[in-house]
Amino acid sequence: MLCSGVGDDAHDCVSECLSEALKAISVSTELVEEELKPHLDVLLNLLLEKKKGTAEKIVSSGVLLILAQVLRKKSPLTSQVTLLVAEMAREAAVRERCIEAGLVTALVPLLNSPDQDQLLHTGRAIGRICFENAVQQTQLVENGVIPRLVAIMQQYPENDPLVNICLLALCNLADVDAAREALVEVGVAEVLTYQLKRAPDAERRHLILEVLGSLGESDALKLQFVEAGVPEALSEMIRTLQGGSDTHDLCSIKVGSNLIVTLLLGDESMQKCFGEGTGMVYQDVLSWLQSSNTELQLSGALAIANFARNDSNCVKMLELGVVPHILDLLEQHVAEGDVSVQHAGLSALRNLAIPASNKVRMLEDGVTERIRTLLRSDMPPVQFKLLGTLRMMVDGQEEAASVLGKDEVLLARVMEWCEAKDHAGVRGEANRLLAALIRHSGNPEVIHTVIKADGVQHLISMATSEHVIMQNEALVALAIASAIDIEAVQEPFRDSDLLPTLQKMLDDPLVAVEVKFSALGLICSLANSSMLREQITFLNLWDTLSKLSAHTSTKLAKQADTVMAVLSETA
C-alpha cells in the first residue's frame, strides 16, 4: 500500500492510508502474517517518518490489544510489532494506554530472545513505556528483568546499542530497592567494570557512572564493586582524562573521583583500596592532592579522611609522608581558596592526628605552625574544622598545648570565635579548644595568657552549656587553673561571678550528676583563696552542700561531704 501526494492532498492521503491500515488490523482475527504485515509496515513507516499524531491515532483505534496478542504468540511478526511499539512509545501521551493494553507484560518474555535485534527493539519499547513510571518499574523488577539485563550485557558485551539499552534500563531501575537486592546476586560489578574500561565515548561513560553512583549506596554492592576492580577502573579513567579542558571529560573526572570517595565509606572496601599504602587507588589519590583540578583536590582530601578511619592506616600514611601534601593543599587555598577543599583537608588532618604516636610526629614536623596560617579564614566551616583539628593536636600533648596556649595571636582569634553568635558550632569548638589548652598544658604561663586574653568568662559560660561534655571540660579547665595558680585566677573568677554560677548549677535538679561532681571539685580548689572563701560564706554555699550530702548518688554525696570538710579546715 503506497501513499503519495502534495500539500493537503498528501496529508489527506496519509490520513487515509493510516485509517485503512488501522481498520484492516482491527478486523483481523487470525493474525495471519501475510494479511497483517503490509498494514503494520504502513504504521511503522509513518511512525519512523515522525508523522504528527500517528501514535495517538494508533492508540485510539483500539489495535493495541491485537498488537499485544501478536507479541504473546511469538510469530514472524514479533520483531516488527516490537519495533512498532518502541517507535510509538516515543510519545509520552500514549504510554499509559500501552500499559493498560498489556503491552509491557507481553514484551518482558521477549527479553529471553536469542535474536539481538529483537532484544534491542524490546529493550527500547519497555524502556520508553516505563520511563519515569515508578509502579511499572517496580513491577518490571518483580518480573525478573534485572538478571536478564545483566545476562544480555554478559552475552553481547560488544553490541554497543544493546549494551546502551541495558545500561539505560539499569539507570532507571537502580533506585528501586528490590533492583539493588537483585543486582547483588548477578555479578553486575564485573559487567560494569568491563564496560567502563571499553566505554567508547563520554555518553557511555556518564551512563555507567550514573549506574555506579546509584548502586554505590548499597554496602553489599560497594564491596562487590571494589572486588571487581571498579575503583581501579575509575582511577585509570581519571588518569587518561586528566590535563584536558573538555567539559564532558571534566564532568567524568568529577563524578568518577566522587564515586571513589563513596566506595571508601565501607570499611572493607576502604581497606582493600588502601592495600597497606601500596594500593593503586591510594597512590592515585595522593596524586590528586597535587593536581591543579580543584574537584580532584577535594576528592583526594576526602579520600584521605576516609582512609584515616583506623589507627593503623593513620600511622602508615604518616610514615609514607601524606601530611606535607595536605598542608601544601591547605596553604594553596588560604587566600580566597575553595572552602570545601580546606574543610576536607582539615578533616583529613584531624583524623590523622587521632593516634597518640601521630600527634608527636605531626608536632615534630611543624604541623601546628603551618595550619595556623588558616586563622585568617572568614569561612565558618573552615574555622570549625580548624579549631577541631587544633584541639585534636593538643589532646594529651603537654608541649603542643603549652606552645599554642601561649600564642597571643592564636588566642585573640579564638576569643573572637568564642563570641561567634551566628555560628554555634564555631563558638562551641572555640570554647572547647580554650579549655583543652589549659587542661592538657597544665602550664601557669598558658593560664596567665588566657586571663590576659579575657578567656575566663568564656570558660565560665561554657560551664553552663547545654552539652554535658562541654560543661565538664570547662569545669575541669577552671579547676586545673585554680589548682596551679589560685592567686592569678581569684580576681577574674570573682569578677566573672563564677561561684554564683556554680551554686546555681548545684541547686538545679536538672543538671547532670557528673557535672555537679566536677563543680564540687572546682569549689575544693577555690577554697584555697581567702578572697573566694569570703564569697562562699556570703553566698551561704554550705546549705547547698548540705542538701547534696543527702543526694541519691553516693558518689556525689561523698564529694559534697569532702568539700564541706575542706571548707571547715580552711575556715
Side-chain angles (χ1 to χ4, degrees), residues 405-422:
K406 289 183 278 186
D407 185 329
E408 293 184 7
V409 175
L410 169 68
L411 279 180
R413 194 69 166 127
V414 171
M415 292 307 119
E416 285 179 42
W417 291 337
C418 281
E419 295 171 4
K421 292 182 174 57
D422 296 332

Side-chain angles (χ1 to χ4, degrees), residues 127-128 130-132 137 167-176 211:
R128 287 169 185 166
C130 299
F131 182 65
E132 292 186 338
Q137 288 175 355
L167 287 170
L168 272 169
L170 286 180
C171 207
N172 289 328
L173 298 173
D175 289 331
V176 179
V211 175

Side-chain angles (χ1 to χ4, degrees), residues 311-346:
D311 285 4
S312 63
N313 285 8
C314 289
V315 171
K316 189 70 180 175
M317 282 193 279
L318 215 69
E319 286 173 8
L320 294 170
V322 71
V323 171
H325 296 310
I326 298 171
L327 293 171
D328 290 344
L329 181 62
L330 286 170
E331 286 169 358
Q332 270 185 51
H333 290 273
V334 172
E336 297 180 15
D338 189 284
V339 177
S340 300
V341 174
Q342 293 178 69
H343 194 268
L346 286 167

Side-chain angles (χ1 to χ4, degrees), residues 33-184:
E33 181 187 2
E34 292 76 14
E35 290 181 12
L36 284 180
K37 190 175 186 314
H39 304 303
L40 293 171
D41 281 340
V42 171
L43 303 188
L44 186 54
N45 288 333
L46 290 173
L47 286 167
L48 290 171
E49 289 168 16
K50 308 286 193 294
K51 296 294 184 185
K52 195 175 178 183
T54 302
E56 288 84 348
K57 283 178 182 172
I58 294 172
V59 168
S60 302
S61 71
V63 301
L64 293 189
L65 291 172
I66 294 170
L67 298 181
Q69 275 183 280
V70 173
L71 294 175
R72 289 193 183 94
K73 192 179 176 187
K74 294 181 184 171
S75 72
L77 296 170
T78 301
S79 185
Q80 186 185 20
V81 172
T82 309
L83 179 56
L84 173 65
V85 173
E87 290 303 312
M88 191 168 55
R90 286 181 186 275
E91 301 293 330
V94 307
R95 290 169 188 163
E96 195 59 44
R97 295 286 293 278
C98 290
I99 293 165
E100 290 166 5
L103 283 171
V104 177
T105 53
L107 284 164
V108 168
L110 299 179
L111 289 172
N112 293 302
S113 169
D115 183 314
Q116 294 181 54
D117 286 337
Q118 176 67 65
L119 289 172
L120 185 63
H121 302 330
T122 304
R124 281 183 177 145
I126 293 173
R128 287 169 185 166
I129 293 172
C130 299
F131 182 65
E132 292 186 338
N133 186 323
V135 174
Q136 281 301 307
Q137 288 175 355
T138 303
Q139 284 184 8
L140 285 174
V141 174
E142 290 170 356
N143 287 331
V145 300
I146 292 294
R148 191 59 203 133
L149 290 170
V150 175
I152 291 169
M153 288 196 286
Q154 288 167 334
Q155 285 173 276
Y156 313 108
E158 312 295 326
N159 184 330
D160 287 335
L162 191 51
V163 167
N164 256 12
I165 288 296
C166 292
L167 287 170
L168 272 169
L170 286 180
C171 207
N172 289 328
L173 298 173
D175 289 331
V176 179
D177 289 338
R180 293 183 186 182
E181 290 167 19
L183 285 164
V184 171

Side-chain angles (χ1 to χ4, degrees), residues 169-445:
L170 286 180
C171 207
N172 289 328
L173 298 173
D175 289 331
V176 179
D177 289 338
R180 293 183 186 182
E181 290 167 19
L183 285 164
V184 171
E185 310 295 327
V186 291
V188 70
E190 289 81 3
V191 171
L192 292 174
T193 306
Y194 178 78
Q195 290 301 334
L196 181 61
K197 286 179 177 178
R198 66 174 293 275
D201 51 41
E203 187 180 345
R204 173 74 63 82
R205 266 201 321 265
H206 289 321
L207 198 48
I208 298 166
L209 291 173
E210 196 169 337
V211 175
L212 287 169
S214 296
L215 301 179
E217 303 298 322
S218 158
D219 287 337
L221 284 169
K222 202 174 281 175
L223 188 55
Q224 282 190 15
F225 286 166
V226 172
E227 288 172 340
V230 169
E232 286 80 5
L234 290 168
S235 270
E236 199 174 313
M237 177 197 79
I238 290 166
R239 227 179 300 126
T240 59
L241 298 177
Q242 267 183 278
S245 58
D246 180 82
T247 51
H248 296 296
D249 290 350
L250 291 173
C251 181
S252 291
I253 287 172
K254 179 181 178 178
V255 175
S257 60
N258 285 344
L259 255 170
I260 288 178
V261 173
T262 301
L263 292 175
L264 295 178
L265 290 171
D267 288 337
E268 279 188 81
S269 51
M270 178 266 287
Q271 283 305 109
K272 283 182 182 293
C273 290
F274 184 59
E276 295 300 312
T278 61
M280 183 186 106
V281 176
Y282 176 69
Q283 295 297 322
D284 279 352
V285 162
L286 281 183
S287 73
W288 299 352
L289 296 175
Q290 301 157 69
S291 165
S292 58
N293 182 319
T294 305
E295 292 295 345
L296 273 184
Q297 292 175 351
L298 173 60
S299 291
L302 290 170
I304 295 295
N306 280 343
F307 282 126
R309 288 206 312 275
N310 68 47
D311 285 4
S312 63
N313 285 8
C314 289
V315 171
K316 189 70 180 175
M317 282 193 279
L318 215 69
E319 286 173 8
L320 294 170
V322 71
V323 171
H325 296 310
I326 298 171
L327 293 171
D328 290 344
L329 181 62
L330 286 170
E331 286 169 358
Q332 270 185 51
H333 290 273
V334 172
E336 297 180 15
D338 189 284
V339 177
S340 300
V341 174
Q342 293 178 69
H343 194 268
L346 286 167
S347 293
L349 274 186
R350 185 190 178 283
N351 287 1
L352 287 165
I354 291 172
S357 60
N358 274 16
K359 287 184 177 65
V360 175
R361 175 83 179 271
M362 288 168 80
L363 291 168
E364 288 169 354
D365 291 346
V367 170
T368 48
E369 286 78 6
R370 287 187 69 180
I371 62 174
R372 271 185 291 182
T373 58
L374 292 171
L375 285 172
R376 62 180 188 264
S377 173
D378 292 322
M379 302 297 180
V382 176
Q383 296 166 355
F384 177 79
K385 275 293 175 188
L386 173 64
L387 290 162
T389 304
L390 289 171
R391 185 165 59 82
M392 185 56 68
M393 290 294 299
V394 302
D395 186 21
Q397 300 301 311
E398 183 181 333
E399 184 185 344
S402 295
V403 171
L404 292 180
K406 289 183 278 186
D407 185 329
E408 293 184 7
V409 175
L410 169 68
L411 279 180
R413 194 69 166 127
V414 171
M415 292 307 119
E416 285 179 42
W417 291 337
C418 281
E419 295 171 4
K421 292 182 174 57
D422 296 332
H423 301 284
V426 172
R427 190 169 66 247
E429 277 294 341
N431 279 290
R432 293 188 74 188
L433 176 60
L434 189 59
L437 293 173
I438 293 174
R439 285 168 47 233
H440 296 295
S441 72
N443 187 313
E445 285 184 66

